[in-house]
Amino acid sequence: MAKAKTENKTEKKTEKKTKTKAAPKTKKPKEPKEVIEAKVTEAETAAVTEEHAVPETVAPQPRRSIAFIGSECYPFVKTGGLGDVMYALPKALAELNCDVKVILPRYHCIPAQYQEKMVYRGSFDMDLCEDGKSFYVGIMEYVWDGVVYDFIDNDEFFTGGNPYTNLVDDIPKYCYFCKAALAALNYMDWIPDVIHCHDWQASLVPVFLRTQFADTAIKDSKTVLTIHNLRFQGVYNIPTIRYWTNLPDYVFNKDVFKTGYEDANMLKAGLTYTDIITTVSNTYADEIETPDYGENLDAHLRYHGGKLRGIVNGIDVVQWDPKADTRLAAPYDITDVLDRKKENKKALQEELGLEVDEGKFVIGLISRLTDQKGLDLVNEILPSLVDGNTQIVVLGTGDIRYEESFRGFESGFKGSVCSCIMYDEGRAHRIYAGADALLVPSLFEPCGLTQLIAMRYGTVPVVRETGGLKDTVEPYNQFTHEGNGFTFDRYEAGLLYDAVNRAKTLYFTDRWHWDEMVQRDMAKDVSWKTSAEQYRALYLELKP
Ligand code: ADP
């Protein structure tokens, strides 16, 4: 971990050194200064690298095979950031000479357009339970963009309209899924160098691998377990998990499964058995070792701290590309963002029934509506934000109390506030493009993708300095005019209010520097490239 942190600091320093000021606003900027300078820097770096090329960089990178195992993946099924990562990271790794197979449940809710293209790859029966009960495992395959997707098919477990229902159903579902994924790899005789598991739903993979699969073909594969959100751990009583896994007694002790007096924690067990633990930002990697953010696993994580790393997420810059985004009224890039954003803003205001006025400061919020996302702070300050010059657009679903409070604000501030209580991918794209700022005031945020997408769309993030938000948004400096957004530290409504007001002040009184920040945000590299390389280096470290 120490090593990972040091590397990151060096990276940050380098990033600072090469950072250049964004181009000042011109009527028709040909190519912003930052882009040109970035190109020059790239060219220089390439020249230097070539000059000092050592044999390893010339030789082709060794190929590695990776099996991704997780519970959701865009565009088949997505409820949050995990779905984005399961789609974008395998794609980025495939471009780095990796063979990637993604193993997912074949939920009934996967749209027909994908179900129809899946090809039957085989099936078998698998023992699962303590009483010897066995279950059907079907494998349906779909190949797309250099990545192979294998869906585990079983009608008893994956029937719901939603991937997650309640723990009573979800615990057996993911016990089955973890074992079936390993059994499917053996069945297909596809033995990966590394098995990369994601969140508690896939966390039993390392446990099964080192116990029931210890004498099978797959036994030499290494494992990585990534924590996308430590809050969700898959905790249930020991007898139930023992029944659904038939794992040996010795793993139900306090170092592996046991938590409290009688519960078993699936994530905890996976963290014990995996070779490497990663989480999705450096700051979150530090935070989760503390009682405040550790969700009762901080001591366990400190104990396993030697194998914990932070690698920040990126976004898929093809999926999120304002220039090629067919969902937008006026697609744009860094050269015409300043004009086109106004058109997108007006189109958004029309679509949502807000007062159509390009002069208004539009604040977006795209989020699961849960406590994690800092919505109690937003509720506290929202009435004070609506001042005749400001509009607020909320897109999200989740806890009833937030859904109701935002609906209430919409009817209380007609024309200035719009609350879209729904999940709508297209509308999310239009808000990213049409809003001036995006709020992400999270209580905790392992990485956060919305601030990255916002920057890619030239929308200035206003974030709390926690987890990945802290690692990806550099606060605006009013003296040097550097930075990517507005930030606040302590979890207090007053500080959020202050951060939004600082953003509004810059927008209304110093548009020149605001526009520079918009362009600087669009020029920032939020792609997967650097992070995918870090994952690849990690796989090579595990399997030299
Ligand atoms: P989390 O995974 O905690 O929900 P992230 O910021 O990592 O949060 O990822 C959220 C992802 O889900 C982003 O791609 C965001 O655009 C998307 N998203 C969240 N809520 C909605 C919604 N209601 N409609 C469409 N997309 C949404």
Side-chain angles (χ1 to χ4, degrees), residues 78 80-81 84 368 373 395-396 422-424 428 432 448-450 453:
K78 168 182 157 184
D84 286 317
R368 285 184 293 117
K373 300 295 180 174
L395 173 65
M422 60 178 73
Y423 190 94
D424 186 334
Y432 286 120
L449 297 179
T450 59
I453 304 169

Side-chain angles (χ1 to χ4, degrees), residues 20-24 31-39 519:
T20 53
K21 237 174 140 225
E31 191 159 25
K33 199 169 137 208
E34 177 155 6
V35 176
I36 296 167
E37 288 184 0
K39 279 184 184 164
Q519 291 180 313

Side-chain angles (χ1 to χ4, degrees), residues 292-310:
D292 280 351
Y293 292 88
E295 306 284 349
N296 296 322
L297 280 186
D298 49 295
H300 193 67
L301 284 162
R302 282 196 300 279
Y303 183 78
H304 289 285
K307 58 180 184 180
L308 171 62
R309 318 272 177 97

